[in-house]
Amino acid sequence: MAEVLVYVDHVDGAVRKPTLELLTLARRLGEPVAVHLGPNAADAAKTLGEYGATRVLAADAPEFADYLVVPKVDALQAAYDAVSPAAVLVPSSAEGKEIAARLAVRLGSGIVTDAVDLEAGDEGPVTTQSVFAAAFTTKSRITRGTPVITVKPNSATPEAAPAAGAVEELAVGFGDTATGTKVTSRTPRESTGRPELTEAAIVVSGGRGLNGAENFPLIEGLADSLGAAVGASRAAVDAGWYPHSHQVGQTGKSVSPQLYIATGISGAIQHRAGMQTSKTIVAINKDSEAPIFDLVDYGVVGDLFQVVPQLTEEIKARKG
Amino acid sequence: MSLRIVVCVKYVPDATGDRHFAEDRTTDRESVDGLLSELDEYAVEQALQIADSDGVDDAEITVLTVGPEDAKDALRKALSMGADKAVHVEDDDLHGTDALGTSYVLAKAIEKTGYDLVVCGMASTDGTMGVLPAMLAERLGVPQVTLLSEVSVADGKVTGRRDGDTATEQLEAPLPAVASVTDQSGEARYPSFKGIMAAKKKPVESLDLDDLDIEAEEVGLEGAWTKVEDVAERPPRAAGTVVDDEGEGGKQLAAFLAERKFV
Ligand SMILES: Cc1cc2nc3c(=O)[nH]c(=O)nc-3n(C[C@H](O)[C@H](O)[C@H](O)COP(=O)(O)OP(=O)(O)OC[C@H]3O[C@@H](n4cnc5c(N)ncnc54)[C@H](O)[C@@H]3O)c2cc1C
Ligand SMILES: Nc1ncnc2c1ncn2[C@@H]1O[C@H](COP(=O)(O)O)[C@@H](O)[C@H]1O
């Protein structure tokens, strides 16, 4: 059976959820072979095997952390040469897309980014994408080379499918360009204790209607009552009310949770681009004409300073 | 230090318009007005600031686009912001070129123009792939210093801050290099009246595929590495329930969430 390379996104060996989704999708095309770069491959391999990786090609070298992107491309290319896969799947993070882009150039292969679904087809994988702020759905095929596909988080439900997950050492020779861009310092983002925005099942976002940083605890309180991640519109981020890493939209994170709650957000096209594929959408806005109401399953026209506290209380009461 | 900067800018359909696909499943550039991609304005802005910065004297900024005839509008806007000259790669055979093809054409045009630093936007507002800068660096064989929210050039080096998924990184690379900047890098300036007038006299060089030694088969819809097989308008979301808050809005919403099993 054909093998499919899956690039593993992990933090010190803790595999992030989008990778498990990729393994699940990869099984539609062939046998997943995971590529793990960096430390703690053995830990990661347990999880990767559980979700269907037959093999885990692992490499660790200081270059992966000390230089930007290219060492990882060299390694993924080494894995490609070793496996001759039917396709290469990479998570659609900012870095993932750059790795995939360079690999595609090197292989002379077509690339599809931000796939939200993928199936096997007679002439290779057929990918689904959501374009123009999710107003259209397209299906594409890669016509040249080995398909390189980046897949958005929350595109599939991870399904366990125990496989060997055997760790094999991957030999990587770094090229001249690998050490081109030095990472001179790295400050890890502090964990908020809340779910990761792109991976969360529920996202509660606040916009300009929040009227100040001091009111964001209102959003955090609602989020915590639901076990949700916190998002923000660009207006709120630009005003300095919430960190940019929480921005939802075209130039922020793209989210596709089961439930998205927009509070004090008008629903500009660039915001919609990042949340329109959410399964259930709820909005609280005092302007009944706000475009966000065109998207909602349930909307409340009202003052968020009244509605949100009541909602949070009621959720807590119902949860007991 | 003298510095030749090439800024890659894309002409895109206005995102606030009703964007569609044409018969051949390429982006319809007729029905919606086009403009300089807003995210590339940030690239022009940072190039202007780098050119003005202390470590740099004698900078020349060329704005480069690959696109249809109307794409000149995007170049004019960038020139009116303050860029010195423009290069427009225009050829009927380019219609339908995908990211790999575009990066190939851009790389050839950048090499022909001559450069120390290439500056791109973080993504185009129509394709939103965010892959071109990495592809350019790969093709040109120079460092990629991408997705910067802060950038500066001094002593033959480009440095900047990259706010990644899990960490903030400080990057450094020797020139020549390819950089891309995000919309966190600082508001782009508005063209002044003087700038608009001056732009009319600035040179715009037109190049076609022959000028770049590119065969028609290597690009365009036929040369594309990917094929869009199906395009469907997303069905409108079923109209939801919208209630006015008359004191019980929060509770009503909680009941809805409970009914949907979120609570
Ligand atoms: C190139 C580009 C990229 C962009 N990328 C993004 C992006 O990634 N993400 C993003 O979000 N935006 C993005 N934007 C900006 C976008 O166009 C909007 O400006 C932004 O989304 C507006 O944020 P907002 O809805 O919070 O603010 P506004 O549009 O000002 O809306 C605030 C809303 O709050 C409501 N409100 C006010 N007070 C209350 C109250 N007490 N109770 C209830 N409701 C209240 C108002 O009725 C209003 O509808 C981008 C723009 C450009 C040009
Ligand atoms: N046709 C084009 N002409 C010039 N520059 C482009 C073109 N397409 C993309 N770019 C540049 O590449 C960046 C990323 O684009 P993309 O990878 O298409 O999202 C843009 O912000 C531009 O700087």
Side-chain angles (χ1 to χ4, degrees), chain A residues 207-208 233 263-268 271-272 285 289-293:
Chain A
R208 202 193 313 265
S233 74
T263 59
I265 291 177
S266 62
H271 187 81
R272 290 157 67 149
N285 194 305
E289 302 287 314
I292 192 79
F293 285 124

Side-chain angles (χ1 to χ4, degrees), chain A residues 5-47:
Chain A
L5 278 189
V6 171
Y7 181 86
V8 177
D9 189 6
H10 68 96
V11 180
D12 291 331
V15 181
R16 296 176 73 187
K17 183 163 155 259
T19 302
L20 307 182
E21 298 170 13
L22 255 56
L23 289 169
T24 304
L25 290 172
R27 280 189 271 121
R28 298 182 186 167
L29 309 178
E31 285 183 355
V33 175
V35 180
H36 178 99
L37 308 181
N40 302 331
D43 290 350
K46 287 197 197 89
T47 316

Side-chain angles (χ1 to χ4, degrees), chain A residues 98 102 106 109 134-135 137 139 141 143-144 181-182 184-187 189 234 251 279 295 299 301 310, chain B residues 100 138 144 146 164-166 168-170 172 183 223 225 227 229-230 232 234 237 241 243 245 247 250:
Chain A
E98 294 188 329
R102 297 188 71 127
R106 288 189 188 181
S109 288
T137 304
K139 285 192 191 295
R141 215 161 43 72
T143 49
R144 286 160 74 176
T181 305
K182 202 168 182 186
T184 52
S185 78
R186 176 179 289 113
T187 317
R189 188 149 300 125
R234 176 161 139 185
T251 55
K279 311 294 175 296
L295 299 181
V301 180
Q310 189 180 67
Chain B
L100 277 161
E138 179 68 35
Q144 94 169 58
T146 46
D165 262 358
T166 52
T168 291
E169 294 164 334
Q170 216 53 54
E172 179 186 295
D183 61 340
W225 280 259
K227 186 166 187 285
E229 302 207 310
D230 184 51
R234 197 180 163 82
R237 293 184 79 100
T241 311
V243 299
D245 178 33

